[in-house]
Amino acid sequence: MAFRRFDAEGARAQRDVVSRIHRDAYADVIATGEQFASDEAFMTRFDAYTARAGLELVIAYEGRDAAALPIAQAWGWPLSLRTAWWDGLIEQPDATFTDEDGTRTFALSEIMVSRAWTGRGVAHALHDELLAPRTEERATLLVRPDNPAYAIYSRWGWRKAARLRPGWPGAPLFDVLMLSLPLGSAPSLKG
């Protein structure tokens, strides 16, 4: 397995690959017809994400040559002073929880693995590849409480801090998970 990193411009150039991995990884959820889960809605969000400063996309490939098959992807960005990430927060752990300056929190927006590659450690390797070089003090992600990945995130050190409903049309209620950075550091007592 090999990893390739892309900034926002490079991520936009990978749009077809991103959509293909999404359609495979989320085929069952897409098949439910839920508006938020559709590939069209997902790619609309992806287009908005790639307009953010500091976006970083990591794609995992089977193989290392030019013909390598893309099998998984993850991306995120540092939260800016004027971030909308916390809009829709249901509960706030402390008064400074949402204070951002562009260097405090990295938002892990998406992580997904093609179905044929699930259960092989690809997601964890991709997670670590994206987060290991980050210099922020913490990372955050949103996960549905009924998502099977929730237990996996917990094993990786993520902890629930709050609940949030994003402003995207049809967005469900998510748990806000937090992780101390750099990877392997002791958990922070502050949200």
Side-chain angles (χ1 to χ4, degrees), residues 27-57:
D28 293 340
V29 177
I30 293 169
T32 68
E34 182 184 338
Q35 174 192 1
F36 188 76
S38 74
D39 192 57
E40 181 181 334
F42 176 80
M43 293 311 295
T44 296
R45 292 190 303 273
F46 176 77
D47 292 339
Y49 300 151
T50 60
R52 287 181 164 85
L55 178 121
E56 186 172 34
L57 164 69

PDB file of all heavy atoms in Angstrom, residues 27-57:
ATOM      1  N   ALA A  27     -21.903   2.160  -0.713  1.00  0.00           N
ATOM      2  CA  ALA A  27     -22.939   1.641  -1.617  1.00  0.00           C
ATOM      3  C   ALA A  27     -24.226   1.293  -0.878  1.00  0.00           C
ATOM      4  O   ALA A  27     -25.328   1.621  -1.347  1.00  0.00           O
ATOM      5  CB  ALA A  27     -22.411   0.432  -2.383  1.00  0.00           C
ATOM      6  N   ASP A  28     -24.118   0.646   0.272  1.00  0.00           N
ATOM      7  CA  ASP A  28     -25.313   0.247   1.015  1.00  0.00           C
ATOM      8  C   ASP A  28     -26.090   1.456   1.523  1.00  0.00           C
ATOM      9  O   ASP A  28     -27.318   1.487   1.469  1.00  0.00           O
ATOM     10  CB  ASP A  28     -24.943  -0.664   2.194  1.00  0.00           C
ATOM     11  CG  ASP A  28     -24.392  -2.001   1.733  1.00  0.00           C
ATOM     12  OD1 ASP A  28     -24.631  -2.380   0.566  1.00  0.00           O
ATOM     13  OD2 ASP A  28     -23.717  -2.675   2.541  1.00  0.00           O
ATOM     14  N   VAL A  29     -25.390   2.460   2.023  1.00  0.00           N
ATOM     15  CA  VAL A  29     -26.051   3.663   2.537  1.00  0.00           C
ATOM     16  C   VAL A  29     -26.648   4.465   1.379  1.00  0.00           C
ATOM     17  O   VAL A  29     -27.771   4.968   1.481  1.00  0.00           O
ATOM     18  CB  VAL A  29     -25.067   4.523   3.358  1.00  0.00           C
ATOM     19  CG1 VAL A  29     -25.719   5.795   3.836  1.00  0.00           C
ATOM     20  CG2 VAL A  29     -24.526   3.725   4.533  1.00  0.00           C
ATOM     21  N   ILE A  30     -25.931   4.577   0.285  1.00  0.00           N
ATOM     22  CA  ILE A  30     -26.445   5.286  -0.890  1.00  0.00           C
ATOM     23  C   ILE A  30     -27.723   4.617  -1.379  1.00  0.00           C
ATOM     24  O   ILE A  30     -28.695   5.286  -1.763  1.00  0.00           O
ATOM     25  CB  ILE A  30     -25.378   5.348  -2.004  1.00  0.00           C
ATOM     26  CG1 ILE A  30     -24.210   6.241  -1.565  1.00  0.00           C
ATOM     27  CG2 ILE A  30     -25.978   5.853  -3.309  1.00  0.00           C
ATOM     28  CD1 ILE A  30     -22.987   6.156  -2.463  1.00  0.00           C
ATOM     29  N   ALA A  31     -27.767   3.281  -1.342  1.00  0.00           N
ATOM     30  CA  ALA A  31     -28.924   2.526  -1.824  1.00  0.00           C
ATOM     31  C   ALA A  31     -30.187   2.781  -1.006  1.00  0.00           C
ATOM     32  O   ALA A  31     -31.295   2.531  -1.482  1.00  0.00           O
ATOM     33  CB  ALA A  31     -28.602   1.035  -1.833  1.00  0.00           C
ATOM     34  N   THR A  32     -30.046   3.320   0.220  1.00  0.00           N
ATOM     35  CA  THR A  32     -31.229   3.618   1.035  1.00  0.00           C
ATOM     36  C   THR A  32     -32.025   4.789   0.469  1.00  0.00           C
ATOM     37  O   THR A  32     -33.178   4.975   0.821  1.00  0.00           O
ATOM     38  CB  THR A  32     -30.853   3.948   2.495  1.00  0.00           C
ATOM     39  OG1 THR A  32     -30.153   5.205   2.527  1.00  0.00           O
ATOM     40  CG2 THR A  32     -30.040   2.841   3.136  1.00  0.00           C
ATOM     41  N   GLY A  33     -31.383   5.578  -0.381  1.00  0.00           N
ATOM     42  CA  GLY A  33     -32.052   6.743  -0.952  1.00  0.00           C
ATOM     43  C   GLY A  33     -32.007   7.968  -0.063  1.00  0.00           C
ATOM     44  O   GLY A  33     -32.572   9.009  -0.397  1.00  0.00           O
ATOM     45  N   GLU A  34     -31.329   7.882   1.074  1.00  0.00           N
ATOM     46  CA  GLU A  34     -31.212   9.022   1.982  1.00  0.00           C
ATOM     47  C   GLU A  34     -30.494  10.159   1.270  1.00  0.00           C
ATOM     48  O   GLU A  34     -29.402   9.988   0.732  1.00  0.00           O
ATOM     49  CB  GLU A  34     -30.439   8.593   3.232  1.00  0.00           C
ATOM     50  CG  GLU A  34     -30.303   9.690   4.253  1.00  0.00           C
ATOM     51  CD  GLU A  34     -29.439   9.262   5.443  1.00  0.00           C
ATOM     52  OE1 GLU A  34     -29.296   8.055   5.694  1.00  0.00           O
ATOM     53  OE2 GLU A  34     -28.907  10.170   6.098  1.00  0.00           O
ATOM     54  N   GLN A  35     -31.109  11.332   1.244  1.00  0.00           N
ATOM     55  CA  GLN A  35     -30.585  12.478   0.508  1.00  0.00           C
ATOM     56  C   GLN A  35     -29.151  12.818   0.913  1.00  0.00           C
ATOM     57  O   GLN A  35     -28.286  13.029   0.070  1.00  0.00           O
ATOM     58  CB  GLN A  35     -31.485  13.695   0.712  1.00  0.00           C
ATOM     59  CG  GLN A  35     -30.933  14.965   0.089  1.00  0.00           C
ATOM     60  CD  GLN A  35     -31.679  16.215   0.547  1.00  0.00           C
ATOM     61  OE1 GLN A  35     -32.599  16.168   1.334  1.00  0.00           O
ATOM     62  NE2 GLN A  35     -31.252  17.350   0.031  1.00  0.00           N
ATOM     63  N   PHE A  36     -28.872  12.860   2.211  1.00  0.00           N
ATOM     64  CA  PHE A  36     -27.550  13.260   2.701  1.00  0.00           C
ATOM     65  C   PHE A  36     -26.469  12.295   2.234  1.00  0.00           C
ATOM     66  O   PHE A  36     -25.327  12.670   2.039  1.00  0.00           O
ATOM     67  CB  PHE A  36     -27.561  13.341   4.236  1.00  0.00           C
ATOM     68  CG  PHE A  36     -26.316  13.930   4.825  1.00  0.00           C
ATOM     69  CD1 PHE A  36     -26.083  15.297   4.788  1.00  0.00           C
ATOM     70  CD2 PHE A  36     -25.365  13.121   5.429  1.00  0.00           C
ATOM     71  CE1 PHE A  36     -24.940  15.855   5.342  1.00  0.00           C
ATOM     72  CE2 PHE A  36     -24.210  13.663   5.986  1.00  0.00           C
ATOM     73  CZ  PHE A  36     -24.010  15.038   5.942  1.00  0.00           C
ATOM     74  N   ALA A  37     -26.830  11.007   2.039  1.00  0.00           N
ATOM     75  CA  ALA A  37     -25.857   9.978   1.685  1.00  0.00           C
ATOM     76  C   ALA A  37     -25.622   9.846   0.185  1.00  0.00           C
ATOM     77  O   ALA A  37     -24.691   9.151  -0.226  1.00  0.00           O
ATOM     78  CB  ALA A  37     -26.315   8.626   2.240  1.00  0.00           C
ATOM     79  N   SER A  38     -26.420  10.486  -0.631  1.00  0.00           N
ATOM     80  CA  SER A  38     -26.281  10.332  -2.081  1.00  0.00           C
ATOM     81  C   SER A  38     -24.906  10.810  -2.554  1.00  0.00           C
ATOM     82  O   SER A  38     -24.288  11.675  -1.932  1.00  0.00           O
ATOM     83  CB  SER A  38     -27.370  11.116  -2.811  1.00  0.00           C
ATOM     84  OG  SER A  38     -27.094  12.510  -2.765  1.00  0.00           O
ATOM     85  N   ASP A  39     -24.445  10.234  -3.653  1.00  0.00           N
ATOM     86  CA  ASP A  39     -23.146  10.651  -4.182  1.00  0.00           C
ATOM     87  C   ASP A  39     -23.195  12.111  -4.622  1.00  0.00           C
ATOM     88  O   ASP A  39     -22.228  12.841  -4.436  1.00  0.00           O
ATOM     89  CB  ASP A  39     -22.706   9.751  -5.348  1.00  0.00           C
ATOM     90  CG  ASP A  39     -21.251   9.985  -5.717  1.00  0.00           C
ATOM     91  OD1 ASP A  39     -20.379   9.832  -4.835  1.00  0.00           O
ATOM     92  OD2 ASP A  39     -20.988  10.347  -6.886  1.00  0.00           O
ATOM     93  N   GLU A  40     -24.308  12.535  -5.174  1.00  0.00           N
ATOM     94  CA  GLU A  40     -24.436  13.936  -5.597  1.00  0.00           C
ATOM     95  C   GLU A  40     -24.293  14.885  -4.405  1.00  0.00           C
ATOM     96  O   GLU A  40     -23.541  15.864  -4.458  1.00  0.00           O
ATOM     97  CB  GLU A  40     -25.777  14.167  -6.291  1.00  0.00           C
ATOM     98  CG  GLU A  40     -25.959  15.593  -6.765  1.00  0.00           C
ATOM     99  CD  GLU A  40     -27.307  15.812  -7.439  1.00  0.00           C
ATOM    100  OE1 GLU A  40     -27.880  14.858  -7.979  1.00  0.00           O
ATOM    101  OE2 GLU A  40     -27.768  16.958  -7.420  1.00  0.00           O
ATOM    102  N   ALA A  41     -24.982  14.590  -3.300  1.00  0.00           N
ATOM    103  CA  ALA A  41     -24.878  15.432  -2.103  1.00  0.00           C
ATOM    104  C   ALA A  41     -23.462  15.376  -1.532  1.00  0.00           C
ATOM    105  O   ALA A  41     -22.912  16.401  -1.111  1.00  0.00           O
ATOM    106  CB  ALA A  41     -25.899  14.996  -1.059  1.00  0.00           C
ATOM    107  N   PHE A  42     -22.887  14.180  -1.514  1.00  0.00           N
ATOM    108  CA  PHE A  42     -21.532  14.019  -1.001  1.00  0.00           C
ATOM    109  C   PHE A  42     -20.536  14.840  -1.812  1.00  0.00           C
ATOM    110  O   PHE A  42     -19.684  15.533  -1.255  1.00  0.00           O
ATOM    111  CB  PHE A  42     -21.139  12.530  -1.016  1.00  0.00           C
ATOM    112  CG  PHE A  42     -19.724  12.296  -0.581  1.00  0.00           C
ATOM    113  CD1 PHE A  42     -19.391  12.277   0.760  1.00  0.00           C
ATOM    114  CD2 PHE A  42     -18.725  12.114  -1.515  1.00  0.00           C
ATOM    115  CE1 PHE A  42     -18.077  12.069   1.165  1.00  0.00           C
ATOM    116  CE2 PHE A  42     -17.408  11.909  -1.122  1.00  0.00           C
ATOM    117  CZ  PHE A  42     -17.086  11.890   0.215  1.00  0.00           C
ATOM    118  N   MET A  43     -20.644  14.780  -3.129  1.00  0.00           N
ATOM    119  CA  MET A  43     -19.703  15.510  -3.973  1.00  0.00           C
ATOM    120  C   MET A  43     -19.929  17.023  -3.900  1.00  0.00           C
ATOM    121  O   MET A  43     -18.987  17.793  -4.053  1.00  0.00           O
ATOM    122  CB  MET A  43     -19.764  14.993  -5.409  1.00  0.00           C
ATOM    123  CG  MET A  43     -19.247  13.547  -5.551  1.00  0.00           C
ATOM    124  SD  MET A  43     -17.632  13.218  -4.778  1.00  0.00           S
ATOM    125  CE  MET A  43     -16.554  14.274  -5.759  1.00  0.00           C
ATOM    126  N   THR A  44     -21.153  17.453  -3.634  1.00  0.00           N
ATOM    127  CA  THR A  44     -21.402  18.883  -3.396  1.00  0.00           C
ATOM    128  C   THR A  44     -20.641  19.326  -2.150  1.00  0.00           C
ATOM    129  O   THR A  44     -20.007  20.388  -2.138  1.00  0.00           O
ATOM    130  CB  THR A  44     -22.915  19.151  -3.239  1.00  0.00           C
ATOM    131  OG1 THR A  44     -23.564  18.830  -4.473  1.00  0.00           O
ATOM    132  CG2 THR A  44     -23.190  20.602  -2.863  1.00  0.00           C
ATOM    133  N   ARG A  45     -20.689  18.490  -1.103  1.00  0.00           N
ATOM    134  CA  ARG A  45     -19.927  18.815   0.105  1.00  0.00           C
ATOM    135  C   ARG A  45     -18.427  18.781  -0.180  1.00  0.00           C
ATOM    136  O   ARG A  45     -17.680  19.655   0.279  1.00  0.00           O
ATOM    137  CB  ARG A  45     -20.289  17.833   1.238  1.00  0.00           C
ATOM    138  CG  ARG A  45     -21.711  17.998   1.739  1.00  0.00           C
ATOM    139  CD  ARG A  45     -22.004  17.207   3.000  1.00  0.00           C
ATOM    140  NE  ARG A  45     -21.778  15.784   2.914  1.00  0.00           N
ATOM    141  CZ  ARG A  45     -22.660  14.886   2.479  1.00  0.00           C
ATOM    142  NH1 ARG A  45     -23.848  15.280   2.058  1.00  0.00           N
ATOM    143  NH2 ARG A  45     -22.360  13.592   2.487  1.00  0.00           N
ATOM    144  N   PHE A  46     -17.964  17.791  -0.943  1.00  0.00           N
ATOM    145  CA  PHE A  46     -16.545  17.706  -1.293  1.00  0.00           C
ATOM    146  C   PHE A  46     -16.091  18.981  -2.007  1.00  0.00           C
ATOM    147  O   PHE A  46     -15.038  19.531  -1.694  1.00  0.00           O
ATOM    148  CB  PHE A  46     -16.291  16.483  -2.178  1.00  0.00           C
ATOM    149  CG  PHE A  46     -14.868  16.384  -2.667  1.00  0.00           C
ATOM    150  CD1 PHE A  46     -13.858  15.953  -1.832  1.00  0.00           C
ATOM    151  CD2 PHE A  46     -14.540  16.742  -3.973  1.00  0.00           C
ATOM    152  CE1 PHE A  46     -12.539  15.869  -2.277  1.00  0.00           C
ATOM    153  CE2 PHE A  46     -13.236  16.660  -4.426  1.00  0.00           C
ATOM    154  CZ  PHE A  46     -12.234  16.228  -3.576  1.00  0.00           C
ATOM    155  N   ASP A  47     -16.895  19.459  -2.953  1.00  0.00           N
ATOM    156  CA  ASP A  47     -16.540  20.691  -3.679  1.00  0.00           C
ATOM    157  C   ASP A  47     -16.414  21.871  -2.713  1.00  0.00           C
ATOM    158  O   ASP A  47     -15.509  22.696  -2.857  1.00  0.00           O
ATOM    159  CB  ASP A  47     -17.570  20.988  -4.773  1.00  0.00           C
ATOM    160  CG  ASP A  47     -17.531  19.973  -5.907  1.00  0.00           C
ATOM    161  OD1 ASP A  47     -16.502  19.280  -6.082  1.00  0.00           O
ATOM    162  OD2 ASP A  47     -18.541  19.858  -6.618  1.00  0.00           O
ATOM    163  N   ALA A  48     -17.304  21.938  -1.726  1.00  0.00           N
ATOM    164  CA  ALA A  48     -17.212  23.010  -0.727  1.00  0.00           C
ATOM    165  C   ALA A  48     -15.967  22.829   0.143  1.00  0.00           C
ATOM    166  O   ALA A  48     -15.279  23.803   0.468  1.00  0.00           O
ATOM    167  CB  ALA A  48     -18.473  23.033   0.138  1.00  0.00           C
ATOM    168  N   TYR A  49     -15.658  21.588   0.516  1.00  0.00           N
ATOM    169  CA  TYR A  49     -14.486  21.325   1.348  1.00  0.00           C
ATOM    170  C   TYR A  49     -13.197  21.741   0.641  1.00  0.00           C
ATOM    171  O   TYR A  49     -12.272  22.255   1.273  1.00  0.00           O
ATOM    172  CB  TYR A  49     -14.373  19.842   1.711  1.00  0.00           C
ATOM    173  CG  TYR A  49     -15.533  19.269   2.488  1.00  0.00           C
ATOM    174  CD1 TYR A  49     -15.854  17.931   2.364  1.00  0.00           C
ATOM    175  CD2 TYR A  49     -16.306  20.042   3.353  1.00  0.00           C
ATOM    176  CE1 TYR A  49     -16.910  17.375   3.074  1.00  0.00           C
ATOM    177  CE2 TYR A  49     -17.357  19.497   4.055  1.00  0.00           C
ATOM    178  CZ  TYR A  49     -17.658  18.160   3.920  1.00  0.00           C
ATOM    179  OH  TYR A  49     -18.683  17.612   4.618  1.00  0.00           O
ATOM    180  N   THR A  50     -13.116  21.497  -0.660  1.00  0.00           N
ATOM    181  CA  THR A  50     -11.876  21.799  -1.376  1.00  0.00           C
ATOM    182  C   THR A  50     -11.673  23.299  -1.566  1.00  0.00           C
ATOM    183  O   THR A  50     -10.612  23.707  -2.035  1.00  0.00           O
ATOM    184  CB  THR A  50     -11.811  21.083  -2.744  1.00  0.00           C
ATOM    185  OG1 THR A  50     -12.907  21.502  -3.560  1.00  0.00           O
ATOM    186  CG2 THR A  50     -11.799  19.578  -2.570  1.00  0.00           C
ATOM    187  N   ALA A  51     -12.641  24.112  -1.172  1.00  0.00           N
ATOM    188  CA  ALA A  51     -12.475  25.563  -1.195  1.00  0.00           C
ATOM    189  C   ALA A  51     -11.849  26.064   0.104  1.00  0.00           C
ATOM    190  O   ALA A  51     -11.498  27.234   0.207  1.00  0.00           O
ATOM    191  CB  ALA A  51     -13.828  26.234  -1.422  1.00  0.00           C
ATOM    192  N   ARG A  52     -11.695  25.192   1.090  1.00  0.00           N
ATOM    193  CA  ARG A  52     -11.154  25.583   2.393  1.00  0.00           C
ATOM    194  C   ARG A  52      -9.628  25.654   2.374  1.00  0.00           C
ATOM    195  O   ARG A  52      -8.966  24.801   1.806  1.00  0.00           O
ATOM    196  CB  ARG A  52     -11.587  24.575   3.454  1.00  0.00           C
ATOM    197  CG  ARG A  52     -13.048  24.695   3.802  1.00  0.00           C
ATOM    198  CD  ARG A  52     -13.394  23.686   4.876  1.00  0.00           C
ATOM    199  NE  ARG A  52     -14.661  24.007   5.513  1.00  0.00           N
ATOM    200  CZ  ARG A  52     -15.838  23.644   5.053  1.00  0.00           C
ATOM    201  NH1 ARG A  52     -15.935  22.962   3.948  1.00  0.00           N
ATOM    202  NH2 ARG A  52     -16.933  23.971   5.702  1.00  0.00           N
ATOM    203  N   ALA A  53      -9.118  26.637   3.054  1.00  0.00           N
ATOM    204  CA  ALA A  53      -7.664  26.760   3.182  1.00  0.00           C
ATOM    205  C   ALA A  53      -7.132  25.608   4.015  1.00  0.00           C
ATOM    206  O   ALA A  53      -7.718  25.232   5.026  1.00  0.00           O
ATOM    207  CB  ALA A  53      -7.313  28.091   3.847  1.00  0.00           C
ATOM    208  N   GLY A  54      -6.045  25.034   3.582  1.00  0.00           N
ATOM    209  CA  GLY A  54      -5.376  24.002   4.350  1.00  0.00           C
ATOM    210  C   GLY A  54      -5.908  22.591   4.168  1.00  0.00           C
ATOM    211  O   GLY A  54      -5.424  21.670   4.817  1.00  0.00           O
ATOM    212  N   LEU A  55      -6.903  22.401   3.294  1.00  0.00           N
ATOM    213  CA  LEU A  55      -7.426  21.049   3.089  1.00  0.00           C
ATOM    214  C   LEU A  55      -6.305  20.113   2.659  1.00  0.00           C
ATOM    215  O   LEU A  55      -5.448  20.482   1.863  1.00  0.00           O
ATOM    216  CB  LEU A  55      -8.521  21.022   2.015  1.00  0.00           C
ATOM    217  CG  LEU A  55      -9.043  19.599   1.768  1.00  0.00           C
ATOM    218  CD1 LEU A  55     -10.515  19.505   2.017  1.00  0.00           C
ATOM    219  CD2 LEU A  55      -8.671  19.097   0.400  1.00  0.00           C
ATOM    220  N   GLU A  56      -6.317  18.919   3.232  1.00  0.00           N
ATOM    221  CA  GLU A  56      -5.351  17.895   2.855  1.00  0.00           C
ATOM    222  C   GLU A  56      -6.101  16.592   2.633  1.00  0.00           C
ATOM    223  O   GLU A  56      -6.874  16.160   3.495  1.00  0.00           O
ATOM    224  CB  GLU A  56      -4.293  17.723   3.935  1.00  0.00           C
ATOM    225  CG  GLU A  56      -3.201  16.780   3.524  1.00  0.00           C
ATOM    226  CD  GLU A  56      -2.044  16.759   4.508  1.00  0.00           C
ATOM    227  OE1 GLU A  56      -2.277  16.917   5.714  1.00  0.00           O
ATOM    228  OE2 GLU A  56      -0.908  16.583   4.048  1.00  0.00           O
ATOM    229  N   LEU A  57      -5.897  15.989   1.476  1.00  0.00           N
ATOM    230  CA  LEU A  57      -6.478  14.701   1.100  1.00  0.00           C
ATOM    231  C   LEU A  57      -5.352  13.687   1.024  1.00  0.00           C
ATOM    232  O   LEU A  57      -4.302  13.970   0.442  1.00  0.00           O
ATOM    233  CB  LEU A  57      -7.163  14.823  -0.274  1.00  0.00           C
ATOM    234  CG  LEU A  57      -7.513  13.534  -1.017  1.00  0.00           C
ATOM    235  CD1 LEU A  57      -8.632  12.761  -0.323  1.00  0.00           C
ATOM    236  CD2 LEU A  57      -7.901  13.858  -2.464  1.00  0.00           C
TER     237      LEU A  57
END
